[in-house]
Amino acid sequence: YERALSEDATVHVPDTLRDEWYLEASDRSLADMSRSIICGPLAAKGETFGVIYVDGPTELVSNSTSLFETVTGLAAELLGASRVRNHLLATEGRLQALSALSMAESKLIMGDSPETMKLQQNINLAAKQDVAVLITGETGTGKEMVARELHRKSPRATGPFVPVNCAALPIDIIEAELFGAEKGAYTGATERRVGRFELASGGTLFLDEIGELPLDVQVKILRVLQERRVQRLGGLSEIPLDFRLICATNRELEQEVRDGSFRADLYYRINVFRLHLLPLRERLADIEPLAQHFLSLFAHRFSRSFKGFSDEAIELLKNHRWDGNIRELRNAIERAALVERSPEIRCESLPIRELPARTSGENSALLDLPREYRSAKSEFERAFFIRALEVNKHNIAKVARETGLTRKTIYTKLGQLGVTLRE
């Protein structure tokens, strides 16, 4: 291999018993063994990554020289491309995006209810087919976990799983994040940026909260989905893509299509296989197994040991409304596992309480509303949006996620109702 590296060329010894160079350079203890040897460098684009060494019967190896050089050439090109790709990702601090599954050994879909059993069956069915999947359901119902489960059970399981929260993408660089950008393509683009579509090639791209994307970006995503090619901002060439698309939303996209805030052609493209996740309050049988799972998870993380939940705690968990769904349940169990000091989780450690029954005083508040429908509706909407803005500190993106409305609709409503947005 030293000769192959120094000469930067394939070295072939057809017969070790007849090759003077080999007999002189090799271990004399091997001189009575008749073999054929091929050793070649893995070199591409001016860089050498190592060598490939093959030996065997003289007839077999001698007849494989051409194939050997083809294989080493392809392997070197792949290593070179991989190194460039990893360098770009490392420059951007995004190597973690290539992790195929961050929880590869854990069970992602938990529950004993008939609804969850049916969901698992549908996941198994959809995972085998390389079709687009749309996951719908309220915030916190576990849409990303379902997407990860689809990826893990698919033929693409060894490829990357790249999640994208569309609602969290900064509006001024959203295209660069999704499609990539060449150095100098826009102000602040000091390095080449690899887009999320390109990152997901060979694996799965998960677009969460896809209903938040602006219409002009929706058009460009539709083109990428149709052509399976992407052109980086500032780039001249198109990059071929090979990915599986999974989308999720807590919105009624059908209504968004009717309102004109979501493109119909994109909706039909992503809605090939539909999975709807019910809220936790509609599958009470899942609460206890989910709680036990989270308790085991956090007990391990906090180096604690618990026997489980008290009967009263289980009853409290089952009676709670869980407006935040699985995410709220997970957070409640995490807090309980952290503060509980007895062998089992008790009600006192859970950050929830029984919801008080609605009082007649609360019902009587309805009598204060105007009797004319339009006036009552307007007054209710004004109070609704003022409260939503206050709770979310006037962050429109958060208001949109909580209310299930688009940002465009929220701005329109605020203008109609005369509600001022705080700077």
Side-chain angles (χ1 to χ4, degrees):
Y1 69 85
E2 292 177 354
R3 181 179 168 188
L5 288 175
S6 63
E7 297 180 5
D8 193 25
T10 300
V11 175
H12 181 208
V13 179
D15 188 343
T16 56
L17 293 182
R18 297 182 181 182
D19 191 284
E20 293 183 4
W21 173 85
Y22 178 81
L23 292 172
E24 186 175 320
S26 66
D27 187 337
R28 300 301 299 175
S29 65
L30 302 176
D32 59 345
M33 299 176 63
S34 179
R35 297 177 300 157
S36 183
I37 297 173
I38 303 178
C39 185
L42 288 168
K45 299 179 180 178
E47 187 172 3
T48 300
F49 305 101
V51 299
I52 292 182
Y53 174 95
V54 179
D55 69 24
T58 55
E59 300 83 4
L60 176 63
V61 179
S62 295
N63 294 331
S64 305
T65 306
S66 177
L67 176 61
F68 175 84
E69 291 182 340
T70 300
V71 170
T72 54
L74 288 173
E77 288 293 333
L78 288 172
L79 283 169
S82 176
R83 181 163 295 190
V84 170
R85 179 182 172 90
N86 284 343
H87 172 71
L88 290 172
L89 294 173
T91 300
E92 299 178 17
R94 293 157 72 189
L95 272 170
Q96 66 274 16
L98 289 179
S99 172
L101 202 56
S102 61
M103 296 184 291
E105 301 302 324
S106 64
K107 185 176 180 181
L108 300 180
I109 308 301
M110 303 287 299
D112 298 330
S113 69
E115 295 81 6
T116 299
M117 298 297 183
K118 180 64 175 178
L119 173 64
Q120 190 65 262
Q121 292 174 6
N122 286 332
I123 289 173
N124 293 337
L125 176 62
K128 297 174 184 177
Q129 308 301 324
D130 209 20
V131 298
V133 177
L134 177 61
I135 307 170
T136 59
E138 292 182 6
T139 298
T141 48
K143 294 187 286 293
E144 182 170 341
M145 291 299 98
V146 170
R148 288 182 178 274
E149 185 83 338
L150 283 165
H151 172 76
R152 184 164 68 174
K153 292 186 173 183
S154 76
R156 297 176 176 271
T158 57
F161 177 87
V162 181
V164 182
N165 186 339
C166 298
L169 290 176
I171 194 69
D172 53 336
I173 61 169
I174 187 170
E175 291 186 35
E177 281 291 324
L178 291 175
F179 310 126
E182 298 292 347
K183 181 179 178 180
Y186 57 90
T187 304
T190 57
E191 298 285 346
R192 175 185 288 175
R193 177 180 290 273
V194 179
R196 306 298 179 91
F197 277 94
E198 192 177 347
L199 282 174
S201 198
T204 301
L205 177 67
F206 174 53
L207 297 181
D208 196 10
E209 304 296 351
I210 191 171
E212 294 284 351
L213 291 174
L215 282 169
D216 58 334
V217 177
Q218 292 178 31
V219 174
K220 295 177 181 179
I221 287 180
L222 181 63
R223 181 166 179 255
V224 172
L225 296 181
Q226 290 172 336
E227 300 181 4
R228 293 286 156 163
R229 291 177 174 274
V230 68
Q231 184 173 332
R232 298 192 190 114
L233 296 181
L236 299 177
S237 60
E238 291 190 328
I239 303 165
L241 302 173
D242 173 29
F243 64 91
R244 197 254 181 95
L245 180 67
I246 301 176
C247 300
T249 182
N250 62 359
R251 301 184 180 281
E252 292 288 342
L253 286 187
E254 295 86 350
Q255 184 61 47
E256 303 275 334
V257 170
R258 288 191 288 270
D259 293 342
S261 57
F262 198 86
R263 291 186 62 94
D265 43 9
L266 179 58
Y267 171 72
Y268 296 130
R269 175 73 65 168
I270 66 176
N271 188 28
V272 177
F273 195 103
R274 185 81 163 256
L275 292 173
H276 181 68
L277 308 188
L278 293 174
L280 195 54
R281 61 185 173 275
E282 294 183 23
R283 43 192 180 99
L284 299 180
D286 290 344
I287 291 177
E288 185 171 354
L290 279 167
Q292 296 287 0
H293 167 72
F294 290 138
L295 180 59
S296 175
L297 178 70
F298 292 118
H300 176 74
R301 179 179 298 179
F302 300 145
S303 300
R304 301 288 307 279
S305 178
F306 296 102
K307 292 189 293 186
F309 296 84
S310 68
D311 293 340
E312 294 79 9
I314 290 292
E315 194 65 24
L316 179 62
L317 291 173
K318 289 183 177 180
N319 288 332
H320 188 63
R321 180 175 170 80
W322 300 114
D323 289 326
N325 293 296
I326 297 175
R327 185 177 299 147
E328 182 187 358
L329 175 63
R330 178 190 173 98
N331 292 342
I333 304 305
E334 181 177 15
R335 190 263 187 190
L338 182 64
V339 304
E340 182 62 77
R341 289 294 173 261
S342 68
E344 62 181 9
I345 301 297
R346 300 167 298 171
C347 293
E348 293 80 4
S349 300
L350 292 166
I352 58 176
R353 294 292 179 268
E354 290 282 6
L355 295 176
R358 186 177 294 274
T359 65
S360 58
E362 288 174 315
N363 288 326
S364 66
L366 295 173
L367 300 177
D368 297 331
L369 289 172
R371 294 188 177 185
E372 200 270 322
Y373 170 73
R374 291 183 180 179
S375 299
K377 178 184 176 184
S378 177
E379 193 167 317
F380 166 77
E381 285 185 333
R382 180 179 174 81
F384 175 83
F385 282 106
I386 289 175
R387 179 185 178 280
L389 288 171
E390 290 176 350
V391 169
N392 294 285
K393 299 180 179 179
H394 285 242
N395 185 313
I396 293 297
K398 291 182 178 179
V399 173
R401 286 196 293 272
E402 182 176 282
T403 61
L405 299 171
T406 64
R407 290 182 235 192
K408 179 181 177 181
T409 300
I410 293 171
Y411 282 121
T412 300
K413 282 291 184 182
L414 294 181
Q416 293 173 346
L417 298 168
V419 177
T420 303
L421 185 63
R422 189 174 65 227
E423 295 294 335

